[in-house]
Each structure stands twice: as structure tokens, then as C-alpha cells.
Amino acid sequence: MRFESRVSFMREVPVASREIERPSAVVEVAAPRDWTSAQIEAWLDWAERHGLMTDDGAGQLLGGALEAYAVRLTARAQTLGLFDDDTSAAVFRDVLLSSLAQGLAAPAAPLAEAAAPALPFAGPEFAAALRGRQIAGRERRLMAEAAPVLAGRLQAVMDAIARCEGEADACADPRRNAALGRAARAARDAGASDGLIRQAIALARADERVWPSAPMDTAPAAAPLIGFVGRGDGEDALPRAALGAWETGEVLLAGSADVAETAHAAWTAPRAAL
């Protein structure tokens, strides 16, 4: 990869000293003049999380965090052999730094947690990891589908009490409130424990009217389980791996350890939003 153009960072991005209120103190940092305080705070949070703030960064942009990030990313790219020469690497570093400061680019959050090192797909460690993925996936799907049903049944328990026009104690007694008795039985049949049913009844007696049912959060894509074909691997492991790949969508099989290592490096590589 060759980079030919060079960017004059200081000429294109005017920098000013700013006082920013942090959780423990008011700090003075150098930042692009056009950045808002909220924008600077967000970048400072990011820099602290990634250990990019340095004691010797006083006077540098965001305490030297942006430059440290550009240098770190450039060094990683050089290690992977992505540049033709040192000049191209230096140009990339300068362009990256300028793009960050101008608000044209920002480091993206990872798509998922870092992938574990690749394993021989026919070995016991891969089989155990795959089984764990399958079990965890089934539990997530079960919760996602069962939770709304269960919440609806518990809501019906609360509604049966709210609609009752009799004495409060009688309305909250499944033996004396037939509608509540039916709702409680339906909730139990749907998998609700007696404790949850009693909780719904107690909430209704306290004039609560809604059983909270927040939508399930969408989890980020899981890092793939990376396996590779080793010497002497039998075909008996292939159906198990194929089934796990089909069920979880989280399995990546490589033809060799080298290819698996390349896939692992690609997954864990830095990402950016442009």
C-alpha cells in the first residue's frame, strides 16, 4: 500500500486550549478549535478507556491521545506489511491524525469481543467451545421468545385484580376471584413460578397496573469460533462442526492453521467509521 499525498495537520486544523470539566476535576487540554465541549469530553472518555492519555502529552492534542492512536495503528499496519515503505507509513499516520481531528473519521466500537485463538476443529477444545456456543444460543432464543409470552400472562394476573370490584383481599385471592385463578393457572402453565405470580399479585394490590416488559436488547455479533483442519483430522468431526455452524452462525472453519490465523487477525483488526 502506498500513500503519496501528505497533509499539513497544523495548517488544516486550528487548535485551541480548552478547560473541560471531568468527573474529578477541571482539566485544560488542547483540542480542535471548532469542537464542542461534549465532543471533547467524549474523546477524552475514549482516550482514557484505551490508555492513550500520557503524562508527557501536555500541550499536545487531547493530551497526545490522537497522535498516540495514529502511531499505534500505523505500527500495527507496518507489522502486517501493509505499507510499501516507511514514507507511505508516515503519510498514512499524518492523514489519519488529520482525519480524526477534522471529524472526518472516528475509531469504531468493535463488532464483538475479540475472537479466541484458532483451534483444531477435530480436537476436544473446539468441540467443547462449540457445544457451549450452541447451549448459549438456545438459551438466548428461548428467553427472547418466552419472555414476551410470560410477561403477557403475568399482565393478565394483574388485570384480573384491577378489574375486580369486590373486597381487596378477595380480589387478590385466586380461590375467591375466579378470573385471577384462571390467569394464575395460565401463567403457571406458561412457565411462571409461584414466586413470580405472587409478585404480580402483590404489585397489583399496590396499585401497579403494568408488568414491565422491555424489549430484549440486540446483542452484538459474537466473535466467531475459529477452527482449522489439522493433520490426521477425520471426517467424523465435520458433521458436528457443520451443525454448530448452521445453528449458531458463529463458526469459521479454515483449511489450515495459517489461514485461521489470518482470519483471526482480520477479525481483531481495528475498525473505523468514515
Side-chain angles (χ1 to χ4, degrees):
M1 182 185 301
R2 177 176 293 277
F3 286 84
E4 307 240 343
S5 62
R6 186 171 276 279
V7 175
S8 176
F9 167 72
M10 296 304 295
R11 185 180 68 247
E12 294 193 7
V13 185
V15 176
S17 179
R18 301 279 294 277
E19 289 188 348
I20 301 297
E21 185 175 354
R22 304 296 291 155
S24 58
V26 175
V27 299
E28 184 175 348
V29 296
R33 190 172 60 196
D34 295 334
W35 281 15
T36 65
S37 295
Q39 191 174 5
I40 297 173
E41 289 181 34
W43 277 95
L44 289 175
D45 289 341
W46 163 81
E48 291 174 357
R49 285 198 307 271
H50 292 83
L52 294 169
M53 302 292 288
T54 60
D55 293 336
D56 58 354
Q60 298 183 47
L61 197 64
L62 295 184
L66 291 189
E67 184 174 356
Y69 177 76
V71 169
R72 180 185 298 182
L73 191 61
T74 302
R76 180 165 186 172
Q78 283 184 295
T79 301
L80 295 174
L82 300 182
F83 300 121
D84 292 341
D85 48 45
D86 291 343
T87 300
S88 294
V91 173
F92 172 82
R93 181 196 62 222
D94 291 349
V95 172
L96 174 60
L97 180 58
S98 179
S99 298
L100 293 171
Q102 293 180 78
L104 302 178
L111 295 179
E113 74 279 8
L119 299 168
F121 90 95
E125 293 182 355
F126 183 87
L130 178 59
R131 186 61 177 168
R133 294 286 185 109
Q134 291 176 292
I135 293 173
R138 291 170 191 173
E139 289 178 348
R140 288 195 302 269
R141 289 190 292 274
L142 183 61
M143 291 179 61
E145 295 191 15
V149 175
L150 196 57
R153 298 294 174 87
L154 292 171
Q155 182 64 58
V157 169
M158 298 177 72
D159 291 343
I161 297 175
R163 290 195 297 265
C164 180
E165 298 179 354
E167 181 185 334
D169 288 341
C171 287
D173 188 345
R175 295 169 298 181
R176 300 161 67 183
N177 181 346
L180 174 59
R182 291 191 296 271
R185 173 56 63 89
R188 181 181 293 171
D189 291 343
S193 65
D194 289 345
L196 271 179
I197 295 172
R198 286 195 294 269
Q199 182 180 350
I201 292 174
L203 288 171
R205 291 202 64 175
D207 292 328
E208 290 283 343
R209 290 293 179 263
V210 177
W211 180 272
S213 179
M216 297 290 290
D217 292 334
T218 302
L225 175 61
I226 304 174
F228 60 89
V229 179
R231 291 183 179 180
D233 286 343
E235 294 184 357
D236 56 329
L238 279 174
R240 182 177 65 247
L243 178 62
W246 169 81
E247 183 177 10
T248 67
E250 300 171 1
V251 178
L252 191 156
L253 293 180
S256 68
D258 290 341
V259 174
E261 181 60 30
T262 300
H264 180 267
W267 183 266
T268 57
R271 294 173 169 84
L274 298 178

